[in-house]
Amino acid sequence: MAGAVTDIDPVVGRPALVDGEPGFHGITEAVCRPVEWKPPTGWYIALAISMAFLGLFGVSIAWLVWEGTGIWGNNQPVAWGWPIVNFVFWVGIGHAGTLISAVLFLFRQKWRTSINRAAEAMTLFAVACALSFPTIHTGRPWLDYWMMPVPNQMAMWPQFRSPLMWDVFAVSIYGLVSLLFWYVGLIPDLATLRDRAKTRIRQVSYGIFALGWRGSMRHWLHYERAYLLLAGLATPLVLSVHSVVSFDFAVSILPGWHTTIFPPYFVAGAIFSGFAMVLTLMLIARKV
């Protein structure tokens, strides 16, 4: 079988990261391994630590709702405090995944397949974290549905001249496109997991999300068209979303902030920080 012989990297003394010509069986085994293998003890320890931090986040949100946004440093002269720092950080982190996957796909760079899945998953988690901050920093999160362009009991429409509204729509659209881009790329793998599933529950679950994939030429043709279309949509979104985020500052009248350099400045910073986070996570995952 092609790819059965694994070269040993002479520098680190372990199998090379990318084998020369892996066979289809080797690729299938690599794709299914994280799902079919039993997680080691270290995985459960890492999960417990992560859940502890998630619980701390929940306690922090409860304290915020009880006490008010003043605990973040927001007050009368300080319009933006701790929440905007987190929001801009997570939006910037979330840009690299889609950018790596979409742009490299449009340029037909095959090496993207070694990192695109992890980068796209990082994007989804980062966007989810980013969206939580416009939700909770308003001080009255139970009224956040007022930011949606739907009728409410006060017959009030959102204030579309507010940068906060621009953030809500820009990041929501970016999150939706990123989710579709990630999911469409998973469909062939979900079908493989469906065919290899040993329990009825897994067969049905994977079968629903595989959307009837059978690997026919017609399926691959539609898959390539959909993936190309989503890549084309995601690429300009990477530039537009963080430009909109920069408008939180750029449209203010504060000296030093009211400037047109912020959109490209924020986009460049987001790309650098996002690429750095992808490297950080993947280097740790590879080593551990």
Side-chain angles (χ1 to χ4, degrees):
M1 180 190 69
V5 178
T6 303
D7 296 329
I8 300 299
D9 193 321
V11 177
V12 295
R14 64 171 178 236
L17 182 62
V18 179
D19 294 336
E21 290 291 337
F24 289 116
H25 177 73
I27 294 174
T28 300
E29 293 295 328
V31 168
C32 298
R33 185 184 303 123
V35 178
E36 295 180 347
W37 281 15
K38 183 180 179 180
T41 304
W43 186 89
Y44 289 103
I45 295 175
L47 179 63
I49 296 174
S50 301
M51 294 303 293
F53 279 109
L54 182 61
L56 178 61
F57 177 72
V59 172
S60 303
I61 298 304
W63 174 247
L64 168 74
V65 174
W66 178 263
E67 191 69 17
T69 55
I71 66 173
W72 274 339
N74 298 47
N75 51 42
Q76 194 62 33
V78 180
W80 295 111
W82 186 242
I84 193 63
V85 176
N86 283 275
F87 175 68
V88 175
F89 170 81
W90 283 113
V91 173
I93 292 299
H95 278 349
T98 303
L99 183 71
I100 290 173
S101 192
V103 174
L104 295 180
F105 177 76
L106 293 175
F107 284 96
R108 301 303 182 186
Q109 299 297 313
K110 294 183 178 180
W111 60 268
R112 65 176 281 278
T113 57
S114 61
I115 61 174
N116 74 303
R117 192 65 52 79
E120 291 167 12
M122 183 201 72
T123 292
L124 294 177
F125 287 110
V127 170
C129 292
L131 279 175
S132 67
F133 286 97
T135 302
I136 60 181
H137 97 283
T138 55
R140 294 177 175 86
W142 52 88
L143 299 179
D144 281 344
Y145 68 94
W146 285 0
M147 292 189 290
M148 296 294 104
V150 295
N152 53 57
Q153 71 271 23
M154 299 179 62
M156 182 181 67
W157 285 91
Q159 175 56 277
F160 287 106
R161 290 181 294 179
S162 169
L164 175 63
M165 292 307 308
W166 308 343
D167 290 338
V168 170
F169 287 104
V171 179
S172 299
I173 293 172
Y174 178 69
L176 178 61
V177 173
S178 299
L179 177 63
L180 291 174
F181 190 58
W182 169 78
Y183 173 64
V184 170
L186 278 177
I187 290 177
D189 296 337
L190 291 171
T192 300
L193 292 170
R194 174 202 62 199
D195 297 337
R196 292 166 58 103
K198 295 180 174 61
T199 64
R200 184 59 180 171
I201 295 178
R202 288 193 174 189
Q203 289 175 353
V204 173
S205 301
Y206 289 129
I208 292 173
F209 289 104
L211 303 179
W213 178 272
R214 287 293 180 269
S216 66
M217 184 177 68
R218 181 183 178 186
H219 287 181
W220 277 109
L221 178 62
H222 292 167
Y223 169 85
E224 289 286 347
R225 288 178 177 176
Y227 203 69
L228 181 63
L229 177 63
L230 290 171
L233 288 173
T235 301
L237 277 177
V238 171
L239 304 178
S240 67
V241 170
H242 221 53
S243 296
V244 171
V245 171
S246 74
F247 293 160
D248 291 341
F249 308 93
V251 302
S252 68
I253 59 175
L254 294 178
W257 283 12
H258 187 65
T259 173
T260 56
I261 194 60
F262 270 32
Y265 179 73
F266 270 57
V267 171
I271 293 173
F272 277 114
S273 61
F275 270 68
M277 183 58 72
V278 171
L279 285 172
T280 301
L281 295 176
M282 295 200 67
L283 287 171
I284 294 174
R286 172 65 178 168
K287 181 67 175 178
V288 175

